[in-house]
Amino acid sequence: QGEGAGGSLAGAGLGFVRKKAREAGRAQGALGEKFGITAVPRIYVLDGKSGRMLHDGKAFLQEHEDRSNNKITYSFIEEMAPPTWMAARNLSASAASGHPVNARAKL
């Protein structure tokens, strides 16, 4: 039987394992361990050939937690975003419709 993204009590999987599962004895997944992921969602931009991290979302996304309704939203920080994202924003549907993209809009 193969391992899933979260692994099993016997071994680590590929992805991220939530804190509650880690506290119950499940090993952190390989990617969670490699990138130091402590919570999800997170964004990492990787080079498709080498697997090298090009951009870490912590640098260009701000997380906003609203405990009153248990929602998390994100603000996009234009000055810190990957250059390819800035170029692509002009190709978005909202930009094509004549409505400019607000870089600090909630995602």
Side-chain angles (χ1 to χ4, degrees), residues 1 7 9 11-12 19-20 22-23 25 29-30 32 43-44 54 59 64 67 70 79 82 88-89 93-94 100 106:
Q1 217 175 33
L9 287 175
K19 182 179 180 181
K20 187 174 182 178
R22 290 191 311 267
E23 289 173 347
I43 294 178
Y44 295 90
L54 301 175
H64 309 281
R67 293 181 188 259
N70 276 346
E79 299 82 24
R89 78 178 178 159
S94 61
K106 302 292 185 211

Side-chain angles (χ1 to χ4, degrees), residues 5-40 42:
S8 68
L9 287 175
L14 179 61
F16 168 77
V17 175
R18 294 185 182 278
K19 182 179 180 181
K20 187 174 182 178
R22 290 191 311 267
E23 289 173 347
R26 186 171 287 167
Q28 178 61 285
L31 294 174
E33 185 72 31
K34 179 176 181 173
F35 295 109
I37 300 171
T38 58
V40 293
R42 292 292 180 253

